[in-house]
Amino acid sequence: MSANSGDAAVKPLKSSAGKSTAGEKNGGRNNGDRKNTGGKRSASRPLVYVLLSLGLLVMSAPFLWMGLSAFKTQSELSASPPVWIPTEWTLENFRQLLDKLDLPLYFMNSVIVAVLVTVSNLVFCSMLGYALAKLNFVGRNKVFGLVLGALMVPGNLMLLPLFVLMSKLQLIDSYAGLVLPFAAGAFGVFLMRQFMQSIPDELLEAARMDGASEWYIFWRIVMPLVKPALATLSIFTFLGSWNNFVWPLIATNDPDKYTLPVALATFATDPNKAGGSNGMLMAGAFLIVLPVLVVFIALQRHFTQGIATAGMK
């Protein structure tokens, strides 16, 4: 009995030892597979960087050409083959543009319109986004459905009704006529609503239990938490308003109310002013793009964070 019991005791030990050995072998294979996978990823990473660099070069080539051409002489602009980097950097194109075009006036018009449109979108879109995300009221889903429906309507389709409305209100050739049609956008409402849904409801309920009003909760609690979304909305709204061409062209008859894109386009089509000078046009285009770059660089960190986290719950 003792011998048999001893053999019985030894057999489980051998079987368990065999299992552990097999497990170690499998574990070694898994580790080897992981190392191979990591090696493949590290080998393909330079190829990804090369492809991304080529894509970046293709996308930025027109902008680089525009920026460099603004500082070229007329002979270099008409040279064949094209000259990319100026051999003689000059500011003559900017001087001629300032002499023939009231650039400070049009630049200020664009700044006023873009800033007012951006600020109004930040305020109104945030308010409606907060109401749709955190407040319970009758018809909330229907209002949100209208917002989604507005996103599907082409913007050019609304130009004629907006022009008739602004004419009835006698707001043509005014800053109000340029700002009010774009004071709040469906995209901004959708973005803020999706971002504000990520704020815990328990945080807001605790503030309500402490006696905080909805205005206090909105301005002191919610708004500081949605800075990335506000930065994202600021960039998109400022960029759209700054580059807007069709509506300012329709809504302004007085040249003193022209924004910079409209003024530059009118200048380019006037042979008595532009005179076929591509250098001045490149300088004007460079001045149009420069403020957008400054805004994007200043808000880049918040912009990328807002894009990455918008819509997360």
Side-chain angles (χ1 to χ4, degrees):
M1 294 292 291
S2 62
N4 293 333
S5 62
D7 294 337
V10 172
K11 289 180 180 179
L13 291 177
K14 289 182 178 180
S15 61
S16 62
K19 291 181 180 178
S20 62
T21 304
E24 291 176 358
K25 290 181 180 179
N26 293 332
R29 291 177 183 174
N30 293 334
N31 291 334
D33 293 340
R34 291 176 183 175
K35 290 180 180 179
N36 293 333
T37 305
K40 292 179 181 179
R41 290 179 180 176
S42 60
S44 62
R45 188 170 297 175
L47 179 60
V48 174
Y49 289 156
V50 171
L51 293 176
L52 291 176
S53 300
L54 290 176
L56 176 63
L57 182 61
V58 171
M59 294 293 293
S60 60
F63 171 74
L64 292 176
W65 174 260
M66 176 198 67
L68 294 173
S69 298
F71 300 93
K72 294 177 184 178
T73 60
Q74 191 63 32
S75 60
E76 290 179 337
L77 286 170
S78 58
S80 181
V83 178
W84 271 90
I85 300 178
T87 56
E88 181 183 352
W89 295 77
T90 179
L91 297 176
E92 186 62 26
N93 295 322
F94 295 94
R95 295 192 188 98
Q96 293 181 4
L97 186 64
L98 288 172
D99 291 337
K100 296 184 178 182
L101 190 65
D102 194 356
L103 203 60
L105 173 63
Y106 303 132
F107 188 87
M108 186 57 61
N109 289 340
S110 292
V111 170
I112 293 174
V113 173
V115 170
L116 290 178
V117 170
T118 303
V119 173
S120 61
N121 270 267
L122 292 178
V123 175
F124 298 131
C125 292
S126 298
M127 289 181 178
L128 186 53
Y130 173 74
L132 293 175
K134 296 300 179 182
L135 298 181
N136 293 321
F137 58 90
V138 178
R140 184 180 68 171
N141 293 332
K142 293 182 180 179
V143 174
F144 184 62
L146 290 176
V147 173
L148 295 179
L151 285 173
M152 304 175 189
V153 178
N156 293 332
L157 192 63
M158 302 299 298
L159 292 177
L160 181 59
L162 285 176
F163 179 78
V164 173
L165 178 61
M166 293 298 108
S167 299
K168 296 294 184 180
L169 297 176
Q170 298 182 355
L171 295 179
I172 300 297
D173 284 333
S174 65
Y175 290 128
L178 295 174
V179 173
L180 286 179
F182 307 97
F187 171 76
V189 175
F190 176 78
L191 177 67
M192 298 307 299
R193 185 256 184 188
Q194 295 300 108
F195 199 93
M196 287 180 178
Q197 280 191 326
S198 62
I199 300 176
D201 294 334
E202 293 78 8
L203 179 63
L204 306 184
E205 290 297 332
R208 293 188 182 99
M209 292 180 64
D210 290 338
S213 63
E214 291 297 333
W215 280 106
Y216 183 90
I217 294 173
F218 174 73
W219 288 110
R220 297 299 183 89
I221 299 177
V222 175
M223 293 298 281
L225 294 176
V226 296
K227 287 182 179 180
L230 293 175
T232 304
L233 182 58
S234 299
I235 292 177
F236 279 119
T237 306
F238 185 87
L239 178 62
S241 179
W242 183 268
N243 294 330
N244 193 4
F245 172 75
V246 177
W247 177 249
L249 180 64
I250 296 175
T252 54
N253 298 319
D254 185 5
D256 291 338
K257 291 296 187 299
Y258 282 173
T259 57
L260 196 55
V262 175
L264 187 61
T266 305
F267 174 77
T269 56
D270 190 349
N272 297 324
K273 293 182 179 180
S277 177
N278 293 328
M280 285 191 293
L281 299 180
M282 292 296 177
F286 180 78
L287 293 177
I288 292 177
V289 174
L290 190 60
V292 178
L293 286 178
V294 173
V295 172
F296 180 80
I297 292 173
L299 301 176
Q300 181 183 10
R301 180 172 61 88
H302 297 292
F303 172 74
T304 53
Q305 184 180 357
I307 289 294
T309 57
M312 294 177 60
K313 295 183 181 181

